[in-house]
Amino acid sequence: MRRKRIAAGAALAAGALAVTGLAFAPAALAVTPQTATISADCGTFGSGEATLTATQDGTAATVTVKSSAITAPIALGEDSIASTLTLVKSGGGTVDFTGTQNPAMSAGAPVEVGPLSGTVASGDSLEAFGGSLRMTVFGITITCTATGPQSPGPFVFD
């Protein structure tokens, strides 16, 4: 009987420690705002509004870019676009988000790339204006630039 009480007590103690650990675990890091819009110019490939969506997990961050104003020039397979999104740091310098992820797109479909991966530091404030999005498809590089600051403002990482 004594063993059962010790085992039950140990189980209760372990459960209490687990609950305490959850209560004091650090909150998930977040980026604000999570979504921003820009007006982008991609030269002969189109121009118009694009939406950037950012996420953060520690120092790892991702950004996805979608635009119905900028369209695929030809049908594109899934994960066939090599992309680099360069965002400008408020204190100087840049951060690159890279990847080859994209959904399959038919000719004329809205362009979507990402999530593109990058590394951020706590307090980084990143803006698309002054940076660029380079997409390489079948050896052809398309460069898009923001024509003004993103709205509602830069991404600030915790």
Side-chain angles (χ1 to χ4, degrees), residues 47-72:
S47 62
E49 189 172 280
T51 302
L52 286 68
T53 304
T55 64
Q56 179 184 8
D57 184 9
T59 60
T62 64
V63 178
T64 301
V65 181
K66 296 180 184 180
S67 176
S68 59
I70 302 161
T71 58

Side-chain angles (χ1 to χ4, degrees), residues 5-157:
R5 275 190 269 170
I6 291 173
L12 284 173
L17 283 173
V19 169
T20 303
L22 287 174
F24 291 107
L29 298 176
V31 56
T32 52
Q34 292 179 327
T35 302
T37 57
I38 60 169
S39 181
D41 181 3
C42 299
T44 59
F45 295 97
S47 62
E49 189 172 280
T51 302
L52 286 68
T53 304
T55 64
Q56 179 184 8
D57 184 9
T59 60
T62 64
V63 178
T64 301
V65 181
K66 296 180 184 180
S67 176
S68 59
I70 302 161
T71 58
I74 58 173
L76 300 169
E78 181 178 3
D79 300 336
S80 62
I81 304 172
S83 303
T84 300
L85 173 66
T86 301
L87 297 179
V88 177
K89 283 185 176 184
S90 65
T94 60
V95 175
D96 286 339
F97 292 82
T98 61
T100 57
Q101 292 183 295
N102 63 274
M105 293 174 258
S106 59
V111 167
E112 177 179 343
V113 294
L116 306 175
S117 301
T119 302
V120 296
S122 181
D124 275 355
S125 178
L126 305 178
E127 164 71 58
F129 187 53
S132 66
L133 172 64
R134 287 184 317 277
M135 300 174 284
T136 302
V137 183
F138 302 122
I140 299 168
T141 300
I142 301 162
T143 301
C144 301
T145 57
T147 59
Q150 67 190 47
S151 177
F155 293 119
V156 179
F157 295 86

